[in-house]
Amino acid sequence: MAEIIQRDGTWTFDGQTLRLVPGHDKSVSLLRKTLGELTVSLGALAGIAFEHGKKSGRLRLRLRDGADPLLQATGGKLADSDPYQLIVEPDRYGVAEYLVDEVRNAHLIEQVPTAPCQAYLLPGPSVPLSVSAGDGTASFDGERIRLEWNWKTEEAKSASGTRSLPLAEVAAVEWQPAVGLENGYLRFTVRNTPSKTPPKYDPNAVELWGFKKDPLMALVAAAVQARLPHPSAPTAPAAPEDAPPALTKSTAPAPPAEDHDALLRRLRELGELHRAGILTEDEFTAAKQAVLRRM
C-alpha cells in the first residue's frame, strides 16, 4: 500500500483503488470539501503524474474519458476545485513519486485500457442536493430538477416562476465557470425545445457570477449527468425502410437490464428521503416497489 498525507488531503492506493480524502486546510476548495471522499478504481484511470515545483508540487490523476460524470458535465473546467489533484509539500516529493510508481506499475500489470468509457465508472454526487448561487437555487432529488429564482434574477426569467423539470425531459446538462467578464452558468437542455437564449434570460439555466459557491453548482450538474444516458453508449442502428416488421411481443428480445448498482443507489437515496421526512410512508413504498420491479 502507498499513502501520502498532506494538508490538501490524503491519497491512498491499495493496489486496486485510489482513495482520495480532502484535507481540512482553509486552502481546500469548497467543492472538494463538499464532495468528500472519492474512490477511483484502477479501471477508471488513464494516468497519474507528479509535477515538481519550487514551493510545492502537484499530483494529478487523469481519468479515462467518460469515466466520471463530474468531469463530463464540467468539461474539465474545475481548475483549482479539481478533486483529482493534490498539492504536495517539498519534503514529501519522494513519497509522491513512490505513489506514482506504484499506481503505474499496477496499471501496466492489470493492462487497464485507456480508451473512452461507454458507461460511468464513478457514481457522481449523492442526492438529494440543493445549491444556491448566482441568480437561483438548483435542487435535484434523482428524478426531478427544481429551479427557483431570487431577487437578483432578471424579471423576464423570474416571471416564468419556479421550474420543475422531470429528468426524462432533460437531454443534456452543462456547467460553465465565470471567466473574466464572462458569467458562468448551469444549463439544462430540454428535449425538443433547444434554446440559444443567454443564461441571464433562460428559464432552464442558472446564471453564475464567479462567487464562492459557483463550483457547487457543478455537483448538481454531475448528479444529473450520472443519471442521463452515457454520451458514448452504443445505440441501436436505425432500421432500413425495407426492414421486416418488428418482432411480436412474444418473440421480441427483452430490453437490456438497467445498471444494478444504479438501482441499488436509487434505493438508498429513497431511504434517505424517507428518513428525512421528505417522502411519506406511502410515497416511499410506491417508489421502492417501482425500483424493485426494474431490477
Side-chain angles (χ1 to χ4, degrees):
M1 186 176 79
E3 181 176 66
I4 181 168
I5 303 173
Q6 294 289 273
R7 289 181 299 173
D8 197 38
T10 299
W11 285 17
T12 306
F13 180 60
D14 64 5
Q16 291 294 325
T17 59
L18 271 159
R19 179 170 168 260
L20 316 180
V21 180
H24 299 290
D25 192 72
K26 63 181 181 181
S27 64
V28 180
S29 72
L30 180 60
L31 180 144
R32 186 67 193 93
K33 290 179 179 178
T34 304
L35 190 57
E37 180 181 324
L38 292 172
T39 300
V40 182
S41 67
L42 204 58
L45 200 61
I48 184 171
F50 176 61
E51 303 167 357
H52 286 256
K54 291 183 178 180
K55 294 184 178 180
S56 63
R58 194 176 297 265
L59 272 168
R60 293 184 187 273
L61 290 185
R62 184 166 58 87
L63 271 59
R64 293 169 59 192
D65 290 343
D68 181 23
L70 176 62
L71 297 182
Q72 185 72 38
T74 60
K77 299 173 184 175
L78 290 170
D80 290 339
S81 294
D82 187 344
Y84 302 112
Q85 59 182 21
L86 181 76
I87 297 174
V88 179
E89 299 299 322
D91 63 346
R92 290 293 180 271
Y93 281 9
V95 179
E97 291 169 343
Y98 173 71
L99 178 72
V100 168
D101 287 342
E102 289 293 293
V103 174
R104 286 178 175 171
N105 289 338
H107 200 266
L108 289 172
I109 291 172
E110 294 294 331
Q111 297 183 334
V112 177
T114 57
C117 299
Q118 294 186 343
Y120 294 119
L121 301 182
L122 281 87
S126 299
V127 295
L129 77 164
S130 181
V131 175
S132 296
D135 68 352
T137 297
S139 305
F140 181 53
D141 63 3
E143 304 251 343
R144 188 173 292 270
I145 301 149
R146 183 179 176 88
L147 302 177
E148 301 172 86
W149 314 117
N150 57 39
W151 63 273
K152 296 171 285 187
T153 309
E154 184 68 27
E155 186 176 355
K157 180 159 72 172
S158 62
S160 64
T162 298
R163 299 284 288 164
S164 182
L165 304 173
L167 184 63
E169 294 182 7
V170 176
V173 57
E174 180 186 10
W175 175 85
Q176 181 81 16
V179 179
L181 298 178
E182 291 289 327
N183 290 338
Y185 56 84
L186 169 67
R187 190 199 299 272
F188 300 95
T189 301
V190 179
R191 297 185 188 281
N192 303 319
T193 56
S195 173
K196 295 183 179 180
T197 306
K200 182 175 183 178
Y201 304 104
D202 187 350
N204 296 321
V206 177
E207 186 179 35
L208 304 173
W209 302 315
F211 296 145
K212 183 179 180 180
K213 289 189 176 181
D214 282 12
L216 294 184
M217 282 291 183
L219 299 182
V220 179
V224 172
Q225 185 72 58
R227 291 160 177 81
L228 293 177
H230 194 281
S232 298
T235 56
E241 292 183 2
D242 58 349
L247 295 174
T248 64
K249 184 176 181 180
S250 59
T251 58
E258 294 190 51
D259 182 73
H260 188 69
D261 289 341
L263 294 174
L264 288 176
R265 185 171 62 240
R266 181 58 185 149
L267 285 175
R268 289 194 295 269
E269 292 165 357
L270 289 171
E272 292 171 3
L273 290 171
H274 182 231
R275 287 190 293 273
I278 297 172
L279 291 179
T280 66
E281 184 67 34
D282 290 343
E283 290 171 334
F284 171 65
T285 300
K288 182 176 70 172
Q289 292 300 321
V291 174
L292 293 174
R293 285 195 295 270
R294 290 152 58 185
M295 296 182 73

